[in-house]
């Protein structure tokens, strides 16, 4: 089959345009590079030569491949040269009127069969196409930066783009070694449509002083496995770019979650655009540097001394309870693993022993350390055994009535001065605290599953938590080799408050038939470096658990955009809960 678009013109040879030109030439195609002036064309060609020399040094290209690649690229400053191309890719600055002017001129210059593609990240492809007399042969080809390293290309169709044009564009992207995903024409397309709403909420969270920038970034890296925290990513992208994308999204959606957080406008007005200016949410060594000079390198130190914690009680017999008990035992703390019966407690310790054994088998733990940890865990079938411990961590069912009853019981049993912690991920910590006569001693200690492997712990203080209790848990979390992040007692804390609206947005995108499950998952993994796509993650977490958290967030913040997507509610009602039932957004083989 004939390869689509043997000759490609690239209009605008900035960072993105130059990257696209090199990728196209590398595929064996002829490239016509076009810049605005003779001087800018010369500079662009010099940049391409420098970038390809760097690629040879990094062994991404051989010297011979570079020579052949450069021979296929010509660079000039006359737009009329685009008449010789089968496909024109526009990569000029992100200004609608400028792009429309370029497309109107290309429409006049180029033969009728030439396909015109815009590289816009946020503007309406339809409005750009309307500047031409060939809207059926206009589409978006959104490459990601750096082009040589990012495999994703969003192929953006308007309502008038012909199926043949979209198919040829996807085949072209595959021939470049890229992974195309199909998207419709709405602000942000797939990746930015999901990513920037999340970044916006992170900026608003920081602006409200709910958590520090370091804690927000650490929470999302360690709690979700993301390659960068949201505020560091905003600095990398450019605060001005992020604000432009969000403005375009808000103009289309009128969703308040897309309205740029005021702090973004303030930073832009002050010229603090992120790495490129040397300062944004963080301050950098120099403009263009990636090294932040004012970022804390570890968890914040407590402001007051904490209480001594030697012995720990863990309430519960499920996966979280046994995982938390394992964490403390491996750190050398005697642990009482308390369940509603001795039989359940013994079974929980057996589960813990199996976990330790797996660590030994994988070479992560010595047999001696396994035996020492196991010896520190004592299973008990009555909560009265917890009377003298220094810290109790509750890890029972995520049911407020059950937790309040347990805290009322612990209040009568556990010695004065002991810290009482809940591992809730979605319930108000203050409701657990007010079930006791000592709410100042109650705090949230939200471990992530599996607790032995996940580094993050959200330390959640209520309006009544004593400062030395917060200090105690921050210090202890660091001592057991976890990374504490400090936040207040509101729905979702840091991670779930940022993660689940993003997952909900993905469900809405699917529900509106905007893109498929596979394309959305592929886009977020390849475009953002996420370890899992949103639907993979929803099926792992459980759709019922996800729906509960969505409802809690909506109830707390009363934001219309946080209301659970109807498709999520329908799947839960049908019993399609993800991997645990064998079916969710995908079908899973039952084991």
């Amino acid at each position: 089959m004939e390869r689509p678009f043997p000759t490609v013109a690239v209009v605008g040879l900035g960072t993105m345009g130059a990257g696209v030109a090199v990728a196209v030439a590398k595929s064996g195609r002829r490239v016509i590079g076009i810049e605005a002036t003779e001087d800018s064309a010369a500079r662009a060609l010099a940049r391409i030569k420098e970038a390809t020399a760097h690629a040879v040094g990094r062994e991404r290209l051989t010297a011979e491949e570079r020579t052949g690649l450069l021979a296929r690229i010509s660079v000039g400053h006359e737009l009329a040269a685009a008449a010789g191309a089968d496909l024109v890719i526009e990569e000029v600055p992100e200004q609608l009127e400028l792009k429309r002017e370029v497309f109107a001129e290309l429409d006049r210059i180029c033969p009728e069969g030439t396909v015109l593609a815009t590289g816009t990240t946020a503007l309406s492809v339809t409005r750009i196409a309307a500047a031409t007399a060939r809207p059926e042969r206009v589409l978006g080809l959104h490459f990601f930066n750096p082009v040589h390293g990012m495999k994703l290309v969003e192929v953006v169709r308007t309502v008038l783009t012909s199926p043949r044009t979209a198919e040829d564009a996807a085949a072209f992207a595959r021939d470049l070694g890229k992974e195309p995903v199909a998207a419709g024409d709405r602000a942000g397309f797939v990746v930015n449509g999901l990513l920037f709403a999340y970044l916006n909420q992170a900026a608003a969270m920081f602006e409200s002083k709910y958590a520090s920038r370091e804690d927000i970034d650490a929470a999302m890296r360690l709690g979700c496995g993301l390659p960068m925290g949201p505020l560091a990513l905003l600095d990398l992208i450019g605060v001005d770019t992020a604000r432009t994308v969000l403005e375009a999204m808000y103009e289309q959606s009128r969703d308040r979650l897309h309205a740029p957080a005021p702090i973004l406008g303030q930073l832009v007005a002050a010229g603090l655009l992120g790495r490129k200016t040397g300062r944004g949410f963080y301050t950098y060594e120099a403009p263009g540097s990636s090294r932040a000079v004012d970022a804390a390198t570890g968890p914040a130190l407590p402001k007051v001394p904490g209480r001594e914690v030697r012995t720990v009680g863990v309430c519960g017999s499920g996966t979280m309870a046994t995982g938390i008990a394992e964490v403390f035992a491996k750190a050398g703390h005697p642990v009482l693993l308390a369940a509603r019966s001795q039989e359940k407690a013994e079974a929980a310790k057996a589960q813990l022993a199996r976990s330790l054994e797996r660590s030994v088998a994988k070479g992560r733990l010595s047999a001696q350390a396994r035996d020492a940890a196991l010896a520190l865990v004592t299973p008990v079938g009555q909560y009265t055994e917890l009377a003298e411990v220094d810290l109790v961590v509750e890890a029972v069912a995520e049911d407020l009535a059950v937790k309040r009853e347990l805290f009322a019981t612990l209040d009568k049993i556990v010695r004065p001065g002991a810290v009482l912690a809940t591992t809730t991920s979605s319930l108000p910590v203050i409701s657990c605290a007010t079930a006791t006569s000592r709410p100042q001693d109650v705090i949230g200690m939200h471990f992530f599953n599996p607790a032995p492997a996940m580094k993050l712990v959200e330390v959640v203080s209520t309006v009544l938590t004593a400062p030395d209790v917060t200090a105690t848990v921050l210090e202890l979390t660091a001592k057991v080799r976890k990374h504490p992040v400090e936040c207040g007692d509101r729905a979702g804390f840091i991670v779930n408050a940022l993660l689940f609206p993003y997952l909900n947005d993905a469900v809405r995108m699917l529900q509106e038939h905007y893109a498929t499950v596979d394309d959305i998952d592929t886009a977020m993994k390849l475009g953002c470096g996420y370890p899992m796509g949103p639907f993979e993650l929803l099926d792992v977490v459980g759709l019922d658990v996800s729906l509960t958290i969505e409802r809690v967030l909506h109830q707390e913040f009363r934001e219309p955009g946080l209301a659970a997507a109807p498709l999520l509610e329908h799947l839960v009602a049908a019993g399609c809960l993800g991997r645990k039932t064998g079916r969710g957004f995908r079908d899973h083989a039952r084991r």
Side-chain angles (χ1 to χ4, degrees):
M1 187 170 128
E2 189 179 340
R3 298 170 78 199
F5 312 127
T7 302
V8 177
V10 180
V11 181
L13 295 172
T15 302
M16 283 301 296
V20 171
V22 170
V24 174
K26 192 176 177 182
S27 74
R29 291 171 168 83
R30 178 173 168 244
V31 176
I32 303 167
I34 302 170
E35 260 294 334
T37 66
E38 192 171 351
D39 285 348
S40 59
R43 288 194 298 272
L45 183 57
R47 278 197 303 273
I48 289 170
K49 288 179 177 178
E50 183 182 353
T52 52
H54 188 64
V56 171
R58 292 272 182 108
E59 298 184 347
R60 290 198 303 263
L61 282 176
T62 66
E64 292 75 19
E65 286 171 336
R66 176 178 182 262
T67 300
L69 182 156
L70 291 174
R72 290 189 289 275
I73 299 176
S74 61
V75 178
H77 64 283
E78 298 289 345
L79 196 60
D86 308 292
L87 166 69
V88 182
I89 301 174
E90 164 273 310
E91 291 286 356
V92 303
E94 198 76 339
Q95 299 163 21
L96 180 61
E97 287 312 312
L98 173 61
K99 289 180 186 286
R100 282 174 54 84
E101 287 172 15
V102 169
F103 270 72
E105 188 64 11
L106 288 170
D107 186 46
R108 187 185 66 78
I109 291 167
C110 296
E112 186 180 328
T114 302
V115 171
L116 307 180
T118 173
T120 183
T121 62
L123 300 175
S124 167
V125 179
T126 303
R127 291 177 70 181
I128 294 169
T132 76
R134 64 179 87 193
E136 71 283 356
R137 284 188 292 282
V138 178
L139 78 168
L141 274 179
H142 179 211
F143 290 81
F144 287 73
N145 193 30
V147 176
H148 69 79
M150 300 294 282
K151 286 187 68 69
L152 183 68
V153 176
E154 290 178 316
V155 179
V156 185
R157 313 168 313 282
T158 74
V159 290
L160 295 177
T161 304
S162 73
R164 174 65 187 273
T165 298
E167 288 161 13
D168 285 350
F172 167 72
R174 279 190 289 271
D175 203 46
L176 299 188
K178 304 298 182 185
E179 184 79 35
V181 298
D185 182 26
R186 75 177 196 186
F189 315 134
V190 177
V191 173
N192 289 347
L194 295 178
L195 175 66
F196 279 88
Y198 149 70
L199 296 178
N200 197 38
Q201 294 313 297
M205 181 180 280
F206 171 68
E207 184 174 20
S208 72
K209 296 182 167 50
Y210 174 69
S212 72
R213 60 187 179 175
E214 287 86 359
D215 279 357
I216 292 170
D217 279 354
M220 299 313 291
R221 283 189 293 103
L222 300 176
C224 298
L226 305 188
M228 290 184 80
L231 302 179
L233 183 54
L234 279 164
D235 276 357
L236 174 63
I237 291 167
V239 178
D240 53 338
T241 302
R243 190 166 183 268
T244 298
V245 173
L246 286 163
E247 288 283 15
M249 289 172 62
Y250 179 72
E251 186 180 346
Q252 283 195 24
S253 71
R254 297 298 169 185
D255 184 338
R256 288 192 307 186
L257 297 179
H258 297 156
I263 192 172
L264 298 178
Q266 293 157 19
L267 288 170
V268 170
L272 308 178
L273 308 183
R275 287 189 187 182
K276 60 189 172 187
T277 60
R279 187 175 165 196
F281 286 95
Y282 294 88
T283 299
Y284 297 87
E285 204 167 40
S289 170
S290 62
R291 184 171 179 269
V293 295
D294 65 338
T297 55
L301 294 173
K303 300 174 182 66
V304 297
R307 304 175 188 178
E308 184 182 5
V309 174
R310 198 179 70 83
T311 57
V312 177
V314 178
C315 298
S317 56
T319 302
M320 280 305 295
T322 56
I324 292 166
E326 180 180 331
V327 168
F328 284 111
K330 285 197 294 194
H333 290 274
V335 178
L336 295 178
L337 183 51
R340 286 177 295 173
S341 69
Q342 188 66 34
E343 184 182 10
K344 281 184 174 291
E346 296 284 358
K349 182 173 180 179
Q351 181 183 335
L352 190 158
R354 287 191 292 274
S355 174
L356 291 171
E357 194 57 52
R358 284 194 297 272
S359 294
V360 172
K362 291 177 180 177
R364 296 174 183 160
L365 194 70
S366 69
Q368 185 180 7
R370 171 203 62 200
D371 295 343
L374 206 54
L376 287 170
V377 178
T378 304
V380 296
Q382 296 181 21
Y383 293 136
T384 51
E385 299 284 347
L386 304 177
E388 296 302 319
V389 299
D390 302 311
L391 165 72
V392 179
V393 181
E394 164 276 309
V396 300
E398 192 75 345
D399 181 307
L400 187 56
V402 172
K403 289 184 186 289
R404 280 180 57 84
E405 183 182 353
L406 175 57
F407 271 82
T409 300
L410 294 172
D411 186 38
K412 297 184 180 76
I413 293 168
V414 181
R415 69 170 182 80
V419 174
L420 306 180
T422 173
T423 61
T424 183
S425 62
S426 61
L427 300 173
V429 178
I430 192 66
S431 294
C432 296
T434 53
T436 75
S437 62
R438 47 172 131 177
Q440 72 279 4
D441 293 337
V442 179
I443 194 167
M445 200 173 183
H446 179 212
F447 287 80
F448 286 72
N449 193 29
M454 297 294 281
K455 291 279 290 179
L456 185 69
V457 176
E458 290 177 317
V459 178
V460 186
S461 300
T462 75
V463 291
L464 297 177
T465 303
D468 68 329
V469 169
T470 303
T472 299
V473 175
L474 288 171
E475 289 172 357
L476 180 64
T477 302
K479 283 177 183 174
V480 299
R481 299 180 180 177
K482 298 296 179 186
H483 187 111
V485 295
E486 189 177 355
C487 58
D489 182 24
R490 74 180 199 189
F493 311 138
I494 298 174
V495 172
N496 287 350
L498 295 178
L499 173 65
F500 280 88
Y502 150 74
L503 297 176
N504 199 42
D505 279 352
V507 179
R508 288 183 191 280
M509 195 175 270
L510 177 68
Q511 177 182 291
E512 293 164 8
H513 306 290
Y514 176 71
T516 66
V517 165
D518 287 341
D519 275 356
I520 294 170
D521 275 357
T522 298
M524 297 314 292
K525 287 190 290 185
L526 297 183
C528 298
Y530 285 11
M532 300 178 81
F535 298 110
E536 287 178 274
L537 184 54
L538 281 160
D539 277 359
V540 169
V541 170
L543 274 59
D544 51 341
V545 174
S546 302
L547 178 59
T548 297
I549 294 172
E550 299 285 6
R551 286 172 172 168
V552 167
L553 289 170
H554 185 233
Q555 176 65 23
E556 176 101 334
F557 298 107
R558 310 297 172 95
E559 190 66 61
L562 294 178
L567 177 58
L568 182 61
E569 294 186 330
H570 295 166
L571 287 168
V572 171
C576 301
L577 309 183
R579 286 190 184 178
K580 60 189 172 187
T581 60
R583 186 177 177 190
F585 286 99
R586 291 185 174 87
D587 288 331
H588 302 274
R590 294 179 188 240
R591 294 184 181 178

